[in-house]
Amino acid sequence: MRQIHTSRGVTCPPSVRDLAYLALSGAGFQASEIPPKQWFDEKTAALRGLSFERSGFQVCIANGNEALKRQTAKLIERMYSARGLFPYGMHANIDARDVTVVALHGGEAVATATIRVDHGSGLLADTLYNKEIDHVRSTGGRVCEITQLAIDPEHGSHEALAGVMQAVYVITQATKRVTDIFAEVNPRHAGFHQRVFGFRRVGIEKICPRVNAPAVLLHLPLAEFEERVARHERLMDMNGDRVHRLLPDPVQSRQLIRAMTG
């Protein structure tokens, strides 16, 4: 199969061009409508070709790759169990339309996160923070959440997380199905996500029943994420600090989005 190469080493199979149909203007759906399950199943499958290199980590989609799915499940269980938490991989909560991103180093999964789009069945974070999320929905927001986030501290790094977040950014940009991103995180980690990616803390600290540990809800409007990335591009030539270097690479992101949407 012919591969598409960019000047920054990004490799994308032609199949990811199917994501052009994810733009609602070309799919026959109004922005406020939720497409049927079959539509989501087909478009989630189209994401499987997304793959790029970031800071020495290969970032790709685990959906449809059973070996990668097993690796990410073991990584999640190992990282959460090491902190005395209940394993997060609760299969009853997994939806086939969720998109799992993984960062690999030497072929091994070292960071992962799953993107869940609100396609009618709600978000996991609705269990504790339905009021806060419904407030965004009531103003026309189309929400998603980042869940099952795990990083191996021995082999991964903040740069691996940066690659995962770049994939989140590219997917939300290319699909045009999201206006707001939510994430439930341990309060100890909230400051990092606020400082680097621009999340804002909403709601009070609660105990998450899935891991039996404290959690806070973070909210990031996609428009603000886009503006943060744009500012990052303006600072790239000024040797920005580490915080800015962990943001999505705007040049590489545009190349990936163009490859996906034609």
Side-chain angles (χ1 to χ4, degrees):
M1 178 182 292
R2 184 176 65 88
Q3 300 289 310
I4 301 172
H5 298 273
T6 72
S7 60
R8 296 178 67 88
V10 180
T11 302
C12 295
S15 62
V16 299
R17 292 180 181 274
D18 292 339
L19 281 172
Y21 298 105
L22 281 166
L24 294 184
S25 59
F29 297 105
Q30 299 298 317
S32 60
E33 293 179 349
I34 297 176
K37 182 179 184 299
Q38 181 181 359
W39 186 86
F40 270 102
D41 291 343
E42 292 172 355
K43 303 316 169 187
T44 299
L47 287 167
R48 296 174 186 173
L50 176 61
S51 178
F52 62 93
E53 188 273 336
R54 167 80 187 247
S55 302
F57 297 93
Q58 189 67 28
V59 182
C60 57
I61 304 299
N63 294 57
N65 187 319
E66 290 305 314
L68 279 184
K69 291 289 285 185
R70 286 193 296 271
Q71 279 203 49
T72 58
K74 289 179 180 178
L75 175 63
I76 292 166
E77 183 170 356
R78 189 170 74 252
M79 292 301 101
Y80 279 80
S81 297
R83 290 161 176 78
L85 306 175
F86 290 122
Y88 198 87
M90 298 176 64
H91 298 291
N93 289 324
I94 294 175
D95 190 294
R97 293 163 290 186
D98 295 346
V99 179
T100 298
V101 179
V102 58
L104 303 170
H105 184 69
E108 297 294 324
V110 296
T112 184
T114 293
I115 307 166
R116 168 168 287 196
V117 176
D118 183 11
H119 35 60
S121 57
L123 307 180
L124 295 177
D126 276 308
T127 301
L128 295 180
Y129 296 103
N130 180 255
K131 180 180 178 181
E132 291 81 358
I133 299 171
D134 270 353
H135 174 71
V136 173
R137 292 183 178 113
S138 70
T139 60
R142 301 186 300 276
V143 301
C144 77
E145 69 181 338
I146 300 171
T147 186
Q148 295 186 327
L149 176 63
I151 305 173
D152 185 341
E154 183 176 350
H155 302 290
S157 67
H158 283 160
E159 281 73 16
L161 172 62
V164 169
M165 286 299 296
Q166 178 160 331
V168 171
Y169 177 76
V170 167
I171 290 167
T172 55
Q173 287 281 326
T175 62
K176 302 186 185 299
R177 273 301 305 168
V178 171
T179 61
D180 294 81
I181 303 171
F182 287 94
E184 262 184 356
V185 303
N186 189 287
R188 296 194 308 270
H189 305 147
F192 173 81
H193 293 283
Q194 290 173 281
R195 186 172 64 256
V196 176
F197 302 113
F199 281 93
R200 283 179 284 182
R201 182 168 169 170
V202 295
I204 63 174
E205 182 177 315
K206 300 181 181 183
I207 298 298
C208 176
R210 296 189 302 279
V211 294
N212 194 32
V216 294
L217 183 67
L218 301 182
H219 174 217
L220 177 60
L222 186 58
E224 294 185 12
F225 199 12
E226 293 168 354
E227 175 57 29
R228 202 173 185 87
V229 172
R231 289 200 304 270
H232 167 48
E233 183 168 23
R234 294 194 293 269
L235 292 170
M236 285 179 69
D237 294 332
M238 301 169 59
N239 296 318
D241 59 22
R242 186 182 183 189
V243 168
H244 291 104
R245 292 199 302 272
L246 293 179
L247 283 168
D249 182 319
V251 176
Q252 187 183 52
S253 295
R254 283 197 297 270
Q255 291 170 341
L256 286 164
I257 293 166
R258 280 199 298 268
M260 289 179 181
T261 59

